[in-house]
Amino acid sequence: MDVLSAAGAIERAGGSVIHMELGEPSAPTPRRIRDAAKRALDGDRVSYTEALGRGALRERIGRHYRDTYGVTVDPARIVVTTGSSAGFVLAFLALFEPGARVAVSAPGYPAYRNIFAALGIEAVPVPLDDANGWTITGAAVERLHAEAPLAGVLAMSPANPSGVTMKRETLAALAGACRRLGLWFVSDEIYHGLTYGVAAETALAFDDEAVIVNSFSKYYCMTGWRIGWLVLPERLVRGVERLAQNLYISPPYLSQVAAEAAFDAIDELEAIKAGYAANRDLFLNELPKMGLGKGPAADGAFYLYIDVSHLTDDSLALSGAILRKAGVAVTPGLDFDPDNGGRFIRLSYAGSQADCREAVSRLYSFVTANA
Ligand SMILES: Cc1ncc(COP(=O)(O)O)c(C=O)c1O
């Protein structure tokens, strides 16, 4: 937020900033999706819907699991939510009591910790590094649970901020450990669709009891539509329906209609993803030449989590300097990991190819001037 407001001040004063700090696609929502919403806006009564979401969308999401992963999901277990953000609140309220201990990755998506804090749930950080491949492992969960009992594990793949996609066997082992220990396994799959040369597997392939959180925000380029979904074990659906009814009434009607069309916009979405892939190649080629090539091997999402420990242990100050001197906005790792994030910055390559090329040249100048 500090970086964003400093960037805004520079831009208002007429300066130029390349935004590599934003965690969202720069491309507009594909035309096919917007057209579906326009038709509904003109022709439908834009009303409340069922608290669990429109039946047609739940069916369509169910089909997506069969087509993409070969996994059968009864649409009755799918809950449409106001972005994955609302999905988290609903799932955590349904799964965890105040005081519950839930393992989360460090670094990780900051809202996890903050939602937990708001709900009185204790986030138990699992430090990630080269040794564990930058993912929560089954072994780490076993260890933590032996120290003091956990109620659940919240993992994501591909991950924010690292861009790391869990290997099939790692995900299977993690799901297996949770099952054996009787822990809830919540799998945030919001960056699915955005992998480069590897496949992201759904946790449902290994555990039908896993709680899946997903969203149309990232691959489908629909951040502002605020639409996502949960897949729940059947016995949780009724409780979540009651929570959803009372907390949100229903997810937004137009966004639900639009989201249904998202599954038919794959040609447009793949073209956008090809742009991310080109940006990623550019950075993977150029960053090592600037001494910025260290960090987790990112094969998903649109992030690189760059080790800057040779430059600083205060990533907030470094991000400020990169912004002021080079006109490139990046996110300090401290946002994602209060303990070790001082040695990292996150760079998002979801912007245009022209912006990424310009960012590379500005970063070169910055590194050279500060060498
Ligand atoms: C890992 C992760 N999960 C969830 C979200 C929330 O997304 P939304 O509420 O738009 O679905 C984000 C947003 O950046 C994220 O990075």
Short mmCIF file of all heavy atoms in Angstrom, two decimals, residues 23-24 82-86 88 109 112 156 158-160 188 190-191 213-218 222-223 226-228 303 346, ligand 1:
data_model
loop_
_atom_site.label_atom_id
_atom_site.label_comp_id
_atom_site.label_asym_id
_atom_site.label_seq_id
_atom_site.Cartn_x
_atom_site.Cartn_y
_atom_site.Cartn_z
N GLY A 23 -1.10 -7.40 -8.24
CA GLY A 23 -1.38 -8.83 -8.31
C GLY A 23 -2.59 -9.15 -9.18
O GLY A 23 -3.42 -9.96 -8.80
N GLU A 24 -2.68 -8.46 -10.32
CA GLU A 24 -3.84 -8.75 -11.18
C GLU A 24 -3.49 -8.55 -12.64
O GLU A 24 -2.58 -7.81 -12.98
CB GLU A 24 -5.04 -7.88 -10.80
CG GLU A 24 -4.84 -6.40 -10.99
CD GLU A 24 -6.10 -5.60 -10.68
OE1 GLU A 24 -7.21 -6.16 -10.77
OE2 GLU A 24 -5.96 -4.40 -10.36
N THR A 82 -18.38 -14.48 -3.55
CA THR A 82 -18.01 -13.13 -4.00
C THR A 82 -16.49 -13.02 -3.98
O THR A 82 -15.88 -12.47 -3.07
CB THR A 82 -18.69 -12.08 -3.08
OG1 THR A 82 -20.09 -12.35 -3.09
CG2 THR A 82 -18.47 -10.68 -3.61
N GLY A 83 -15.88 -13.55 -5.02
CA GLY A 83 -14.42 -13.70 -5.07
C GLY A 83 -13.99 -14.82 -4.15
O GLY A 83 -14.78 -15.28 -3.29
N SER A 84 -12.75 -15.26 -4.29
CA SER A 84 -12.29 -16.28 -3.35
C SER A 84 -12.22 -15.67 -1.95
O SER A 84 -12.28 -16.39 -0.96
CB SER A 84 -10.94 -16.84 -3.77
OG SER A 84 -9.94 -15.87 -3.60
N SER A 85 -12.11 -14.35 -1.88
CA SER A 85 -12.00 -13.69 -0.57
C SER A 85 -13.20 -14.03 0.32
O SER A 85 -13.04 -14.36 1.50
CB SER A 85 -11.87 -12.18 -0.74
OG SER A 85 -10.71 -11.89 -1.49
N ALA A 86 -14.41 -13.94 -0.23
CA ALA A 86 -15.60 -14.33 0.54
C ALA A 86 -15.60 -15.84 0.79
O ALA A 86 -16.05 -16.31 1.84
CB ALA A 86 -16.87 -13.91 -0.19
N PHE A 88 -13.02 -17.66 1.42
CA PHE A 88 -12.18 -17.93 2.60
C PHE A 88 -12.97 -17.72 3.88
O PHE A 88 -12.93 -18.54 4.80
CB PHE A 88 -10.97 -17.00 2.62
CG PHE A 88 -9.92 -17.36 1.62
CD1 PHE A 88 -9.52 -16.45 0.66
CD2 PHE A 88 -9.34 -18.61 1.63
CE1 PHE A 88 -8.56 -16.80 -0.28
CE2 PHE A 88 -8.38 -18.97 0.70
CZ PHE A 88 -7.99 -18.04 -0.26
N TYR A 109 0.18 -15.35 1.08
CA TYR A 109 -0.76 -14.28 0.75
C TYR A 109 -1.17 -13.59 2.06
O TYR A 109 -1.70 -14.25 2.96
CB TYR A 109 -1.96 -14.91 0.04
CG TYR A 109 -3.09 -13.97 -0.31
CD1 TYR A 109 -2.86 -12.77 -0.98
CD2 TYR A 109 -4.40 -14.29 0.02
CE1 TYR A 109 -3.90 -11.92 -1.30
CE2 TYR A 109 -5.46 -13.45 -0.31
CZ TYR A 109 -5.20 -12.27 -0.96
OH TYR A 109 -6.22 -11.43 -1.28
N TYR A 112 -4.52 -14.07 4.21
CA TYR A 112 -4.78 -15.27 5.03
C TYR A 112 -4.63 -14.94 6.51
O TYR A 112 -5.49 -15.22 7.32
CB TYR A 112 -3.77 -16.39 4.73
CG TYR A 112 -3.80 -17.05 3.38
CD1 TYR A 112 -2.69 -17.79 2.95
CD2 TYR A 112 -4.90 -16.99 2.54
CE1 TYR A 112 -2.68 -18.44 1.74
CE2 TYR A 112 -4.88 -17.64 1.32
CZ TYR A 112 -3.77 -18.36 0.92
OH TYR A 112 -3.76 -19.00 -0.27
N MET A 156 -1.36 -23.21 -1.06
CA MET A 156 -1.73 -22.74 -2.40
C MET A 156 -0.71 -23.21 -3.42
O MET A 156 0.47 -23.34 -3.12
CB MET A 156 -1.86 -21.23 -2.44
CG MET A 156 -0.60 -20.52 -2.05
SD MET A 156 -0.80 -18.73 -2.01
CE MET A 156 0.25 -18.35 -0.61
N PRO A 158 -0.49 -22.86 -7.94
CA PRO A 158 0.72 -22.06 -7.82
C PRO A 158 0.56 -21.02 -6.71
O PRO A 158 -0.55 -20.61 -6.40
CB PRO A 158 0.84 -21.38 -9.19
CG PRO A 158 0.05 -22.21 -10.14
CD PRO A 158 -1.07 -22.78 -9.31
N ALA A 159 1.71 -20.60 -6.18
CA ALA A 159 1.67 -19.79 -4.96
C ALA A 159 1.96 -18.32 -5.21
O ALA A 159 2.68 -17.95 -6.14
CB ALA A 159 2.69 -20.35 -3.96
N ASN A 160 1.42 -17.50 -4.35
CA ASN A 160 1.71 -16.09 -4.25
C ASN A 160 2.48 -15.89 -2.93
O ASN A 160 1.96 -16.30 -1.89
CB ASN A 160 0.40 -15.30 -4.23
CG ASN A 160 0.58 -13.81 -4.06
OD1 ASN A 160 1.69 -13.31 -4.16
ND2 ASN A 160 -0.52 -13.12 -3.82
N ASP A 188 -5.92 -23.50 -1.91
CA ASP A 188 -6.20 -22.30 -2.69
C ASP A 188 -5.66 -22.52 -4.10
O ASP A 188 -4.45 -22.57 -4.31
CB ASP A 188 -5.53 -21.09 -2.02
CG ASP A 188 -5.78 -19.78 -2.77
OD1 ASP A 188 -6.30 -19.82 -3.91
OD2 ASP A 188 -5.43 -18.71 -2.22
N ILE A 190 -6.40 -20.63 -6.85
CA ILE A 190 -6.79 -19.43 -7.60
C ILE A 190 -5.88 -19.16 -8.80
O ILE A 190 -6.30 -18.53 -9.76
CB ILE A 190 -6.87 -18.21 -6.65
CG1 ILE A 190 -7.27 -16.94 -7.38
CG2 ILE A 190 -5.63 -17.97 -5.89
CD1 ILE A 190 -7.57 -15.77 -6.44
N TYR A 191 -4.63 -19.66 -8.74
CA TYR A 191 -3.73 -19.42 -9.89
C TYR A 191 -3.71 -20.59 -10.87
O TYR A 191 -2.86 -20.63 -11.77
CB TYR A 191 -2.31 -19.07 -9.40
CG TYR A 191 -2.28 -17.70 -8.76
CD1 TYR A 191 -2.26 -17.56 -7.37
CD2 TYR A 191 -2.31 -16.54 -9.53
CE1 TYR A 191 -2.26 -16.30 -6.78
CE2 TYR A 191 -2.32 -15.29 -8.94
CZ TYR A 191 -2.29 -15.17 -7.57
OH TYR A 191 -2.31 -13.92 -6.99
N VAL A 213 -10.61 -23.70 -2.73
CA VAL A 213 -10.97 -22.29 -2.93
C VAL A 213 -10.45 -21.90 -4.31
O VAL A 213 -9.29 -22.16 -4.63
CB VAL A 213 -10.32 -21.39 -1.85
CG1 VAL A 213 -10.80 -19.96 -2.01
CG2 VAL A 213 -10.61 -21.91 -0.46
N ASN A 214 -11.32 -21.30 -5.12
CA ASN A 214 -10.88 -20.90 -6.46
C ASN A 214 -11.61 -19.62 -6.85
O ASN A 214 -12.46 -19.13 -6.11
CB ASN A 214 -11.10 -22.03 -7.47
CG ASN A 214 -10.10 -21.98 -8.61
OD1 ASN A 214 -9.69 -20.90 -9.05
ND2 ASN A 214 -9.69 -23.14 -9.10
N SER A 215 -11.25 -19.09 -8.01
CA SER A 215 -11.72 -17.75 -8.36
C SER A 215 -11.63 -17.53 -9.86
O SER A 215 -10.82 -18.16 -10.55
CB SER A 215 -10.83 -16.73 -7.65
OG SER A 215 -11.12 -15.43 -8.05
N PHE A 216 -12.43 -16.61 -10.34
CA PHE A 216 -12.32 -16.18 -11.73
C PHE A 216 -11.36 -14.99 -11.88
O PHE A 216 -11.21 -14.45 -12.96
CB PHE A 216 -13.71 -15.82 -12.28
CG PHE A 216 -14.60 -17.03 -12.44
CD1 PHE A 216 -15.47 -17.42 -11.43
CD2 PHE A 216 -14.54 -17.79 -13.60
CE1 PHE A 216 -16.27 -18.53 -11.58
CE2 PHE A 216 -15.34 -18.92 -13.75
CZ PHE A 216 -16.21 -19.29 -12.74
N SER A 217 -10.75 -14.55 -10.77
CA SER A 217 -9.97 -13.31 -10.81
C SER A 217 -8.73 -13.39 -11.70
O SER A 217 -8.45 -12.44 -12.44
CB SER A 217 -9.52 -12.93 -9.40
OG SER A 217 -10.60 -12.45 -8.64
N LYS A 218 -7.98 -14.46 -11.63
CA LYS A 218 -6.62 -14.42 -12.18
C LYS A 218 -6.57 -14.94 -13.62
O LYS A 218 -6.47 -14.16 -14.55
CB LYS A 218 -5.67 -15.18 -11.27
CG LYS A 218 -5.76 -14.74 -9.80
CD LYS A 218 -5.23 -13.36 -9.52
CE LYS A 218 -5.50 -12.95 -8.08
NZ LYS A 218 -4.69 -11.88 -7.58
N MET A 222 -10.84 -11.55 -14.21
CA MET A 222 -12.11 -10.98 -13.74
C MET A 222 -11.99 -10.46 -12.30
O MET A 222 -12.94 -10.56 -11.52
CB MET A 222 -13.21 -12.06 -13.81
CG MET A 222 -13.52 -12.50 -15.24
SD MET A 222 -14.85 -13.74 -15.31
CE MET A 222 -16.29 -12.77 -14.88
N THR A 223 -10.88 -9.81 -11.96
CA THR A 223 -10.71 -9.37 -10.56
C THR A 223 -11.87 -8.50 -10.08
O THR A 223 -12.40 -8.70 -9.00
CB THR A 223 -9.39 -8.59 -10.36
OG1 THR A 223 -9.27 -7.64 -11.40
CG2 THR A 223 -8.19 -9.51 -10.36
N ARG A 226 -15.55 -9.76 -8.87
CA ARG A 226 -15.67 -10.36 -7.55
C ARG A 226 -16.47 -11.66 -7.59
O ARG A 226 -17.60 -11.75 -7.08
CB ARG A 226 -16.31 -9.36 -6.54
CG ARG A 226 -15.68 -8.00 -6.50
CD ARG A 226 -14.17 -8.02 -6.29
NE ARG A 226 -13.76 -8.78 -5.11
CZ ARG A 226 -12.85 -9.75 -5.15
NH1 ARG A 226 -12.26 -10.11 -6.29
NH2 ARG A 226 -12.52 -10.38 -4.07
N ILE A 227 -15.87 -12.66 -8.20
CA ILE A 227 -16.59 -13.93 -8.33
C ILE A 227 -15.61 -15.11 -8.23
O ILE A 227 -14.55 -15.09 -8.85
CB ILE A 227 -17.43 -13.94 -9.65
CG1 ILE A 227 -18.39 -15.09 -9.72
CG2 ILE A 227 -16.58 -13.82 -10.90
CD1 ILE A 227 -19.68 -14.84 -9.06
N GLY A 228 -15.96 -16.06 -7.39
CA GLY A 228 -15.11 -17.22 -7.17
C GLY A 228 -15.98 -18.40 -6.74
O GLY A 228 -17.20 -18.34 -6.84
N TYR A 303 4.23 -14.26 -10.88
CA TYR A 303 5.12 -13.61 -9.93
C TYR A 303 6.52 -14.22 -9.93
O TYR A 303 6.68 -15.42 -10.16
CB TYR A 303 4.58 -13.78 -8.49
CG TYR A 303 3.18 -13.30 -8.28
CD1 TYR A 303 2.18 -14.18 -7.87
CD2 TYR A 303 2.86 -11.96 -8.48
CE1 TYR A 303 0.88 -13.73 -7.66
CE2 TYR A 303 1.56 -11.50 -8.27
CZ TYR A 303 0.58 -12.40 -7.87
OH TYR A 303 -0.70 -11.96 -7.66
N ARG A 346 8.86 -8.91 -4.57
CA ARG A 346 8.02 -9.63 -5.54
C ARG A 346 7.79 -8.76 -6.75
O ARG A 346 7.46 -7.58 -6.63
CB ARG A 346 6.66 -10.00 -4.94
CG ARG A 346 5.85 -10.91 -5.87
CD ARG A 346 4.40 -11.02 -5.48
NE ARG A 346 3.66 -9.80 -5.77
CZ ARG A 346 2.34 -9.66 -5.61
NH1 ARG A 346 1.63 -10.66 -5.13
NH2 ARG A 346 1.74 -8.52 -5.91
C1 LIG B 1 -3.28 -16.57 -3.28
C2 LIG B 1 -4.46 -15.69 -3.42
N1 LIG B 1 -5.65 -16.14 -2.98
C3 LIG B 1 -6.74 -15.36 -3.06
C4 LIG B 1 -6.71 -14.09 -3.58
C5 LIG B 1 -7.99 -13.26 -3.59
O1 LIG B 1 -8.57 -13.20 -4.85
P1 LIG B 1 -10.10 -12.91 -5.17
O2 LIG B 1 -10.81 -12.51 -3.92
O3 LIG B 1 -10.07 -11.82 -6.19
O4 LIG B 1 -10.66 -14.18 -5.74
C6 LIG B 1 -5.50 -13.58 -4.06
C7 LIG B 1 -5.42 -12.21 -4.61
O5 LIG B 1 -4.38 -11.70 -4.94
C8 LIG B 1 -4.34 -14.41 -3.97
O6 LIG B 1 -3.15 -13.98 -4.41
#
